[in-house]
């Protein structure tokens, strides 16, 4: 794994977005893996180790998360900013096309990019997000975001196990990994979650309305696959059925008993992703 960064533009200046690269830098087959709302690129470590056999795997920390800079006060966290940042990243990579794997927010970013004319996204794998997101689910997520403080990594892990129930099948090593890379140390020695608290405020401000993405998704023409946690409140059975009816060639991985969002850390999920990508490399 190699860590690098790219300079991106916001409304008041520049910020750095950190990304990690797995696999050979000479490989022109590039997979970009983008995390969910309050997560970071280290969520993909286990997946990237496997996929690096076939791909140059790029895992950014979206601005305001992980090792990336926070946006200055007055600059909004939102899809427009993320699209600009990812465009800078794609330019840095220097390739004509990429494959995209996005969890939740990362899936929405990929969907928006793939819907654009002359998009460089060749194939799109979306993890547990679709064309409609109910406000109730956004309010639930907003409820556990914020400027949380912890005395130890054990406390962080307990918090994650309570709130990230979709990850219930990962092992103790993986929980410890998420806790370690999901926090930052404060000057007083306490630990805080590794994202800008302003993200929580922005999410809460927009959680009162449903999100409709059908027109955007309809414009996506590349190969697609959808991973669905069957107990997800972000991605409902009705939405999945509507997406399948409109695009029957879209492959679907259904995970019974799993909510939002599947970890992509379990061997069965990793192997399914690997198989799908290998079948769509050409």
């Amino acid at each position: 794994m190699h860590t690098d960064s790219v300079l991106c533009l916001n409304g008041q200046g520049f910020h750095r977005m950190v990304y990690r690269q797995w696999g050979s830098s000479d490989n022109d087959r590039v997979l970009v893996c983008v995390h969910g709302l309050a997560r970071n690129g280290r969520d993909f470590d286990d997946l990237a180790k496997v996929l690096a056999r076939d791909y140059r795997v790029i895992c950014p920390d979206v601005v305001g998360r992980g090792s990336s800079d926070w946006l200055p006060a007055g600059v909004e966290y939102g899809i427009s900013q993320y699209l600009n940042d990812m465009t800078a990243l794609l330019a840095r990579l220097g390739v004509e096309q990429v494959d995209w794997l996005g969890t939740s927010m990362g899936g929405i970013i990929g969907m928006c990019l793939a819907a654009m004319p002359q998009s460089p996204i060749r194939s799109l794998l979306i993890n547990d997000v679709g064309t409609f997101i109910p406000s109730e689910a956004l309010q639930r997520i907003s409820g556990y975001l914020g400027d949380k403080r912890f005395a130890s990594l054990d406390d962080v892990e307990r918090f994650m196990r309570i709130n990230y129930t979709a990850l219930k099948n990962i092992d103790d090593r993986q929980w410890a990994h998420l806790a370690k890379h999901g926090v930052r140390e404060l000057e007083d020695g306490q630990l805080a979650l590794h994202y800008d608290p302003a993200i929580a405020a922005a999410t809460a401000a927009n959680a009162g309305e449903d999100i409709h993405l059908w027109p955007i998704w309809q414009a996506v023409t590349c190969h697609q696959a959808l991973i669905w946690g069957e107990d997800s409140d972000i991605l409902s059975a009705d939405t999945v059925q509507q997406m399948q009816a409109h695009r029957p060639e879209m492959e679907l991985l259904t995970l019974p008993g799993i909510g939002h969002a599947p970890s992509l850390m379990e061997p069965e999920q990793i192997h399914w992703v690997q198989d799908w990508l290998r079948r769509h490399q050409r």
Side-chain angles (χ1 to χ4, degrees), residues 17 45 54-55 75 93 134 255 274:
M17 181 172 67
D45 280 10
D54 300 320
Y55 277 92
V75 178
L93 298 178
L255 298 170
Q274 182 182 41

Side-chain angles (χ1 to χ4, degrees), residues 70 144-150 184 186 191-193 195-198 200:
W70 292 3
Y144 66 73
L145 299 179
D147 194 8
K148 315 287 186 184
R149 303 298 171 91
F150 306 91
R184 54 194 166 87
L186 304 176
L191 301 174
L193 296 174
Y195 58 81
D196 184 350

Side-chain angles (χ1 to χ4, degrees), residues 188-203:
D188 62 4
Q190 291 190 90
L191 301 174
L193 296 174
H194 218 331
Y195 58 81
D196 184 350
I199 292 169
T203 302

Side-chain angles (χ1 to χ4, degrees), residues 42-118:
R42 300 305 300 267
D43 287 1
F44 295 107
D45 280 10
D46 285 358
L47 180 73
K49 289 174 187 176
V50 174
L51 298 183
R53 301 167 191 165
D54 300 320
Y55 277 92
R56 177 184 174 195
V57 184
I58 306 296
C59 304
D61 290 345
V62 177
V63 63
R65 289 86 168 171
S67 301
S68 292
D69 290 345
W70 292 3
L71 290 174
V75 178
E76 182 179 355
Y77 285 99
I79 293 297
S80 295
Q81 181 66 60
Y82 307 151
L83 296 180
N84 289 338
D85 290 1
M86 293 303 163
T87 300
L89 174 62
L90 294 176
R92 164 64 66 85
L93 298 178
V95 290
E96 294 281 326
Q97 291 184 313
V98 300
D99 297 305
W100 189 282
L101 190 163
T103 293
S104 194
M105 179 190 73
I108 296 174
I109 296 170
M111 198 186 304
C112 292
L113 288 172
M116 294 180 179
Q118 302 185 60

Side-chain angles (χ1 to χ4, degrees), residues 103-105 126-134 136-138 140-141 144 165-168 226-240 252-263:
T103 293
S104 194
M105 179 190 73
I126 305 172
N127 183 22
D128 210 62
V129 71
T131 57
F132 175 77
I133 304 169
E136 293 84 1
L138 298 173
R140 175 189 62 80
I141 292 172
Y144 66 73
T165 56
L167 311 186
K168 61 185 178 181
L226 179 64
I227 298 173
W228 174 38
E230 203 169 31
D231 291 348
S232 174
D233 59 349
I234 289 286
L235 181 59
S236 71
D238 286 346
T239 300
V240 172
L252 174 68
L253 173 62
T254 302
L255 298 170
I258 299 295
H260 182 78
S263 69

Side-chain angles (χ1 to χ4, degrees), residues 120-269:
I121 296 182
R122 179 178 62 173
S123 65
L124 176 65
L125 205 168
I126 305 172
N127 183 22
D128 210 62
V129 71
T131 57
F132 175 77
I133 304 169
S135 61
E136 293 84 1
L138 298 173
Q139 290 166 12
R140 175 189 62 80
I141 292 172
S142 179
Y144 66 73
L145 299 179
D147 194 8
K148 315 287 186 184
R149 303 298 171 91
F150 306 91
S152 68
L153 282 176
D154 287 341
D155 291 342
V156 175
E157 184 175 325
R158 278 191 288 271
F159 170 84
M160 290 182 172
R161 285 178 183 260
I162 290 170
N163 289 285
Y164 299 151
T165 56
L167 311 186
K168 61 185 178 181
N169 295 326
I170 67 174
D171 61 32
D172 290 344
R173 175 194 64 82
Q174 292 169 318
W175 278 116
H177 174 88
L178 293 179
K180 176 183 177 181
H181 296 290
V183 293
R184 54 194 166 87
E185 186 171 357
L186 304 176
E187 292 183 0
D188 62 4
Q190 291 190 90
L191 301 174
L193 296 174
H194 218 331
Y195 58 81
D196 184 350
I199 292 169
T203 302
N206 295 305
E209 297 183 0
D210 301 330
I211 296 177
H212 298 270
L213 298 171
W214 187 265
I216 294 172
W217 181 76
Q218 280 186 304
V220 177
T221 59
C222 65
H223 292 298
Q224 290 185 67
L226 179 64
I227 298 173
W228 174 38
E230 203 169 31
D231 291 348
S232 174
D233 59 349
I234 289 286
L235 181 59
S236 71
D238 286 346
T239 300
V240 172
Q241 290 169 6
Q242 290 169 11
M243 293 172 72
Q244 284 187 298
H246 182 77
R247 189 158 288 148
E249 74 278 9
M250 180 183 69
E251 295 187 43
L252 174 68
L253 173 62
T254 302
L255 298 170
I258 299 295
H260 182 78
S263 69
L264 305 186
M265 299 171 73
E266 299 169 40
E268 297 81 3
Q269 296 174 22

